[in-house]
Amino acid sequence: MNDTAPDVDTAVQHRLVEATDTEPGPGLDAHLDLLRGRLADQAAVVGTVDVFWRTVPSPVGLLLLCSTDVGLVRVAFEVEDHDAVLDRVAEQVGSRVLRSGRQLDEVAVEIDQYFAGRRRDFDLVLDRRLSRGFQRTVLEHLPEIPYGETASYARVATASGSPRAVRAVGTACATNPLPVVVPCHRVVRSDGTPGRYRGGEAAKTVLLGLESQLSAGARS
């Protein structure tokens, strides 16, 4: 997906150096960000982009955010390989994929607020096209699990209308295209152990620990 992106950026950088007499560094990066922002704004107006993307730092590593004209469609961890995720999103959603910070500013702000302990629920518009059938049913029930609490796969299966589909619930959570925002990390095994997670067990433990600590602090 991004094999050609570095070459394009390099060519743009060379032209900016010549046009603005700006040496590589923060000044040149600012010019590039401005150009990317203008390009993204124009693309959004004329509808020539299927997916906008950017990355944001977090306590569980760099997160990839992807959005369509409908809403947030994908959140991915570094362990998933961001380039591979973008390739897959291009196949599933549309091949016109553009890096842009501005179109995902609201998402980035809410995620930052969540990790800073200033937000418990997300108010983002979601594009759920990557979830289908029973998986989508499961994921739509997950926000019902309160912040700082957990539910077993069996409990979620029952809430989703299929009490015997515990394994299917596990698969739905492990393949959730919108982790963190859709809180599949709150679903654990009946013995309390974390279970599978798209970002890895360590990331799931961090998220559960963050919510548990902040929730306990609010009650004390």
Side-chain angles (χ1 to χ4, degrees):
M1 179 69 228
N2 293 317
D3 290 345
T4 60
D7 294 333
V8 172
D9 267 359
T10 299
V12 172
Q13 288 174 4
H14 286 322
R15 293 196 177 190
L16 277 175
V17 169
E18 295 173 357
T20 64
D21 196 28
T22 304
E23 292 299 321
L28 185 62
D29 291 341
H31 280 296
L32 276 172
D33 288 341
L34 180 62
L35 288 176
R36 288 193 190 103
R38 288 177 178 173
L39 175 61
D41 289 342
Q42 292 171 1
V45 169
V46 299
T48 56
V49 172
D50 298 309
V51 180
F52 290 104
W53 69 272
R54 69 176 288 182
T55 56
V56 294
S58 82
V60 291
L62 199 65
L63 296 175
L64 171 69
L65 312 176
C66 299
S67 180
T68 66
D69 59 354
V70 175
L72 184 66
V73 72
R74 187 74 165 88
V75 176
F77 297 92
E78 283 185 277
V79 295
E80 297 180 73
D81 184 345
H82 290 172
D83 284 342
V85 171
L86 285 170
D87 283 342
R88 184 64 175 150
V89 168
E91 293 173 1
Q92 295 173 312
V93 179
S95 60
R96 298 175 300 178
V97 179
L98 180 67
R99 177 182 176 185
S100 171
R102 224 175 291 184
Q103 274 66 28
L104 284 150
D105 276 348
E106 182 182 354
V107 180
V109 167
E110 291 204 13
I111 285 180
D112 182 65
Q113 291 171 340
Y114 167 79
F115 281 111
R118 300 193 304 273
R119 172 176 292 278
R120 296 191 171 201
D121 302 296
F122 290 94
D123 298 318
L124 302 169
V125 177
L126 306 180
D127 183 339
R128 293 184 179 271
R129 75 180 73 184
L130 300 182
S131 302
R132 296 179 177 83
F134 185 66
Q135 180 200 36
R136 181 161 177 166
T137 300
V138 169
L139 298 182
E140 287 176 345
H141 279 286
L142 297 188
E144 297 171 4
I145 306 172
Y147 179 98
E149 298 182 21
T150 60
S152 68
Y153 292 105
R155 177 180 155 191
V156 174
T158 299
S160 302
S162 300
R164 300 178 64 180
V166 177
R167 186 181 297 274
V169 168
T171 300
C173 292
T175 56
N176 175 15
L178 293 164
V180 181
V181 175
V182 176
C184 57
H185 57 274
R186 296 176 193 162
V187 186
V188 298
R189 296 189 179 110
S190 55
D191 63 1
T193 55
R196 293 161 56 198
Y197 190 59
R198 197 155 203 168
E201 189 172 320
K204 188 170 186 176
T205 300
V206 169
L207 294 171
L208 290 173
L210 170 73
E211 292 188 3
S212 177
Q213 180 180 7
L214 291 173
S215 183
R219 290 194 298 267
S220 63

